[in-house]
Amino acid sequence: MAKKSPSVQRTALLAGTAALLGLLTACGSGGDGTASSPTTLPGTAAPATDGSTSAPATATDSATQSTGPSGEAATVKPSKTATSAAGASGRCHTSELRASVGRNDPGAGQENFPIVLTNASSRTCTVRGFPGAAFVDASGKQLGPDPKRESGSTLTTVTLAPGRSAWAGLTFSNPEVSGADPATPAALLVTPPDERASLKVTWTGGQVPVSGNSSSVFLTVFNPGSGA
């Protein structure tokens, strides 16, 4: 029998080694040649890890935002007492309330009126946050832009027993002082927090700014009482 040359032996040895490695690789991957580690499918989004896409709390959210020891945003839930009190009474609906505008308390060119909501129903209910407000003429057309919310306000849940009231501030610069374009509204439309229907109050407070310099009207959050 003829002997094989050293080069032929090395070639056969290398071929056998490659075949053995291929067999081991197939066994380790399940035998079908696919990778055992998971892969990301085309078109799938990477998971969010920094919380940057989470929505901020709003003025009417029951939860508040605070900063934890690590500097990350943390959600602080309301206490059980506050939650149960709000759940037992529920918010006041427009049909259960009566609106009025209190006496002006002017100062330094500013006009300051309390918007008052009184519980006219037979049950206890709550109001929390800012009212909606709009000056209108006799035909119901709005005069001027929507009022702005006063920044830095602290929200308080006001519990109203039947006959009790809460008030929010309505503030603007006197048009004669600021030089803003004035108008005399026929009424003020007041919308309770989280409601859609409004209450109409006859306006007797004189001229209000509707455009031009210092024409902004500001609202504050509701607090207990009539604001008198």
Side-chain angles (χ1 to χ4, degrees), residues 148-202:
K148 299 178 180 179
R149 293 179 171 184
E150 192 73 47
S151 61
S153 299
T154 301
L155 273 66
T156 302
T157 299
V158 183
T159 301
L160 299 180
R164 306 298 291 182
S165 300
W167 72 279
L170 174 73
T171 302
F172 54 86
S173 297
N174 187 306
E176 294 183 359
V177 176
S178 68
D181 296 329
T184 302
L188 177 69
L189 299 182
V190 178
T191 307
D194 300 317
E195 292 290 302
R196 293 183 179 273
S198 59
L199 299 165
K200 189 175 183 179
V201 182
T202 300

Side-chain angles (χ1 to χ4, degrees), residues 95-161:
S95 59
E96 300 174 305
L97 298 167
R98 182 178 69 252
S100 60
V101 177
R103 184 174 58 187
N104 184 21
D105 182 20
Q110 291 289 114
E111 310 300 330
N112 306 292
F113 294 88
I115 297 175
V116 183
L117 291 180
T118 302
N119 184 2
S121 73
S122 59
R123 75 177 184 100
T124 298
C125 58
T126 62
V127 294
R128 177 183 173 86
F130 295 88
F135 292 112
V136 296
D137 61 17
S139 66
K141 180 181 178 181
Q142 182 171 336
L143 300 173
D146 293 335
K148 299 178 180 179
R149 293 179 171 184
E150 192 73 47
S151 61
S153 299
T154 301
L155 273 66
T156 302
T157 299
V158 183
T159 301
L160 299 180

